[in-house]
Amino acid sequence: TDFADAVLAKTDGRGVDVILDLVGGAYFEQNLKCLGLKGLLMLVGLTSGREARIDLGMTLSKRLKLIGTTLRARAIEEKADAVRAFATEVVPLLVNGRVCPNIDRVFDVGDVRSAHEYLESNESFGKVVLELG
């Protein structure tokens, strides 16, 4: 799915400042298109594959920053430091609303089958949430 056009339309062509990529391969090229000038792509997951096509010219012209990281290979102390930093630096941004998740659709937990089918359709743009109770 080509989602870059939708992102650029929602940002009046400016693009976004930061992308946290949990998917990798299949979304990498689209993510680069979504980034604005001096954008940052943090690659932390490879659920759709380890390989991707990269337009180096776009990377240079937008002056992008690409950072890859993983927790799996880190020492336990370093993992604990990352969790503490998340709690002190990111959680407050979520609490005060400065950073918000992109929620596409909310399903009742009893309708989990429909939620799963919706995810499989690849129509979603953002998080699909199951609401309890």
Side-chain angles (χ1 to χ4, degrees):
T1 301
D2 186 352
F3 56 84
D5 290 338
V7 170
L8 293 172
K10 285 185 179 276
T11 61
D12 296 322
R14 190 180 82 60
V16 298
D17 297 321
V18 179
I19 294 175
L20 179 64
D21 186 351
L22 306 173
V23 178
Y27 288 4
F28 192 78
E29 187 175 2
Q30 289 291 308
N31 282 337
L32 292 181
K33 288 180 184 177
C34 292
L35 286 169
L37 188 65
K38 297 182 182 179
L40 167 66
L41 183 121
M42 293 282 306
L43 179 62
V44 297
L46 300 173
T47 58
S48 76
R50 301 170 54 102
E51 296 184 12
R53 191 173 105 62
I54 182 170
D55 181 340
L56 295 174
M58 180 187 345
T59 306
L60 294 177
S61 66
K62 290 185 176 185
R63 298 189 305 254
L64 301 179
K65 294 179 188 172
L66 306 176
I67 298 175
T69 189
T70 182
L71 281 176
R72 189 169 285 132
R74 295 181 185 197
I76 192 73
E77 298 83 16
E78 194 174 358
K79 290 178 186 180
D81 288 344
V83 170
R84 276 191 291 277
F86 182 83
T88 60
E89 297 175 29
V90 178
V91 170
L93 297 174
L94 295 168
V95 169
N96 70 23
R98 288 201 58 206
V99 174
C100 300
N102 180 26
I103 298 175
D104 178 283
R105 246 172 109 176
V106 178
F107 290 85
D108 182 80
V109 72
D111 203 14
V112 69
R113 181 181 297 264
S114 294
H116 195 270
E117 289 170 354
Y118 183 63
L119 283 171
E120 286 180 341
S121 75
N122 215 15
E123 297 289 322
S124 63
F125 185 77
K127 299 297 180 191
V128 174
V129 176
L130 290 177
E131 189 169 54
L132 305 173

